[in-house]
Amino acid sequence: MIQARHALLLLAIIYWDAWRLLIIRIGDGAAAVPVAILLLGIAIAWNKLSQNKQLSILPIGAALIFYILAALWGTAMMKIGIALVTILLVLNYGLGRKKPPYAAMGVGLLALPILPSLDFYLAWPMRQISASLTAGLLRLNGFSVHVEGVAIAWQDQLLLFDGPCSGINMLWAALLLTSILSLIGQVGPIRYGTALIITALMAIFANALRASSLFYLETGFIPAMQGPVFHELVGISSFVILGVGLVFAFHKHNQRVQKCV
């Protein structure tokens, strides 16, 4: 057995290389903001730990084995993720909670600088999905468009879905917001997993709506709304609508749960 505070300090030292890799990936960009908030939350939770709370050494040893395997054959983000999840699990059990903190782990993992990895693995399929959905929405509005790879062809124009149009940023932000709302609402693993799936579908559809709206701007249907300012305004408006929708859905669901109780 080992005290929870001592276990966290020991793990923080053992995982030094994961923290080094994390600092490298943060750089000096906006990714430092969610990581700083995450570290603040961990520090607050650590301060609430009981001095006498004891933990078994076996699960900590198992976590170290996974970390070593990730260090030998995994990626840097795998090492960082395992280190973070282990810290959160030890904090959770150190606070006397028996169920794993699924939403907290989701918030922690999404707060890491994972956008480059998401871009690498998901950008191409997300671009194809967004192009297909956007073309379908435009056909419903009477436009004779078709998809060519990751572009929409209309008359003699070819509108390309580049990296930013894939919706990766919107997907990441929506999943992070859902995880935060799930953490605040203390939802269970099934509800949390369902919420993530629904949020992903909503984010993909919201990005298609954004792209179909931009179609009218890019093709000159609205001459008064030309230029990068209106382009960015449409993107921001799409995410605000998605975010408000997610908050409203969680609020209504919590009201129904409270009525049932």
Side-chain angles (χ1 to χ4, degrees):
M1 302 293 286
I2 184 174
Q3 282 191 16
R5 286 175 176 266
H6 295 165
L8 284 171
L9 290 174
L10 179 63
L11 288 173
I13 295 172
I14 294 175
Y15 291 150
W16 68 270
D17 192 53
W19 314 139
R20 179 186 65 84
L21 294 171
L22 176 59
I23 293 172
I24 292 174
R25 276 153 181 76
I26 289 175
D28 53 2
V33 176
V35 173
I37 296 174
L38 174 64
L39 294 177
L40 177 61
I42 290 176
I44 293 173
W46 185 84
N47 191 52
K48 293 181 179 180
L49 288 175
S50 172
Q51 294 283 353
N52 300 321
K53 186 64 178 179
Q54 300 287 322
L55 300 176
S56 172
I57 199 69
L58 293 179
I60 297 175
L64 291 177
I65 292 175
F66 280 111
Y67 178 76
I68 293 172
L69 293 176
L72 293 174
W73 294 290
T75 63
M77 288 308 301
M78 287 179 62
K79 287 179 63 176
I80 298 170
I82 290 175
L84 176 63
V85 168
T86 305
I87 293 292
L88 293 176
L89 285 172
V90 172
L91 272 173
N92 184 71
Y93 294 124
L95 292 170
R97 299 165 185 167
K98 296 182 179 180
K99 296 181 179 180
Y102 296 103
M105 290 189 291
V107 171
L109 292 175
L110 288 167
L112 296 176
I114 62 172
L115 275 176
S117 298
L118 292 179
D119 278 329
F120 180 80
Y121 291 107
L122 298 179
W124 180 258
M126 287 284 289
R127 289 166 69 186
Q128 290 181 314
I129 294 172
S130 296
S132 298
L133 287 176
T134 302
L137 290 173
L138 292 173
R139 291 192 196 103
L140 291 176
N141 288 329
F143 290 97
S144 179
V145 300
H146 64 276
V147 179
E148 292 187 5
V150 290
I152 292 179
W154 181 71
Q155 295 184 352
D156 59 344
Q157 299 185 53
L158 196 63
L159 305 177
L160 178 65
F161 277 73
D162 57 8
C165 290
S166 66
I168 293 294
N169 290 346
M170 183 180 292
L171 175 64
W172 169 80
L175 292 175
L176 179 58
L177 176 59
T178 295
S179 297
I180 293 173
L181 293 172
S182 299
L183 178 60
I184 295 173
Q186 298 181 345
V187 304
I190 296 178
R191 282 179 57 195
Y192 177 51
T194 303
L196 289 179
I197 294 173
I198 295 174
T199 297
L201 295 176
M202 289 176 61
I204 292 172
F205 186 71
N207 186 61
L209 286 176
R210 180 189 67 85
S212 60
S213 300
L214 289 174
F215 173 84
Y216 293 91
L217 273 64
E218 298 295 334
T219 52
F221 276 96
I222 310 177
M225 297 180 64
Q226 299 295 313
V229 174
F230 292 101
H231 192 287
E232 293 297 328
L233 184 60
V234 170
I236 294 172
S237 300
S238 300
F239 177 71
V240 169
I241 293 172
L242 174 61
V244 170
L246 290 173
V247 173
F248 179 77
F250 267 87
H251 177 68
K252 297 298 290 185
H253 181 77
N254 289 336
Q255 282 186 332
R256 288 196 299 268
V257 171
Q258 290 174 359
K259 287 181 180 178
C260 292
V261 175

